[in-house]
Amino acid sequence: ANPFSITTTIEVKHAKGLHQLQVFNPLGSMVFSAQSENGKFQIDRSALSKGMYIYRVLDKNGMVGTGKFVAE
């Protein structure tokens, strides 16, 4: 759900193999990173300050998706 206040899940459809999630604050600094074999990433709100974030998901061949979310 967006915005979220406890946790949220980002899922890559039809993911195969290792994927990496990178989350950036509005200044472009990476504030969270995780890896997954199944393309599902759970983000805990307690790890982030309130605000908007931009994320990207990468696989071994490069970027497979981007998006944004709001942490309340």
Side-chain angles (χ1 to χ4, degrees), residues 32-70:
F32 181 82
S33 177
Q35 292 187 339
S36 171
E37 288 285 343
N38 65 4
K40 285 187 180 181
F41 301 94
Q42 185 156 334
I43 301 172
D44 187 334
R45 162 63 184 88
S46 66
L48 302 171
S49 299
K50 287 184 178 183
M52 185 183 321
Y53 293 87
I54 297 168
Y55 68 86
R56 64 182 177 190
V57 179
L58 303 102
D59 67 9
K60 65 181 180 180
N61 298 314
M63 193 162 21
V64 295
T66 62
K68 60 185 173 181
F69 63 84
V70 176

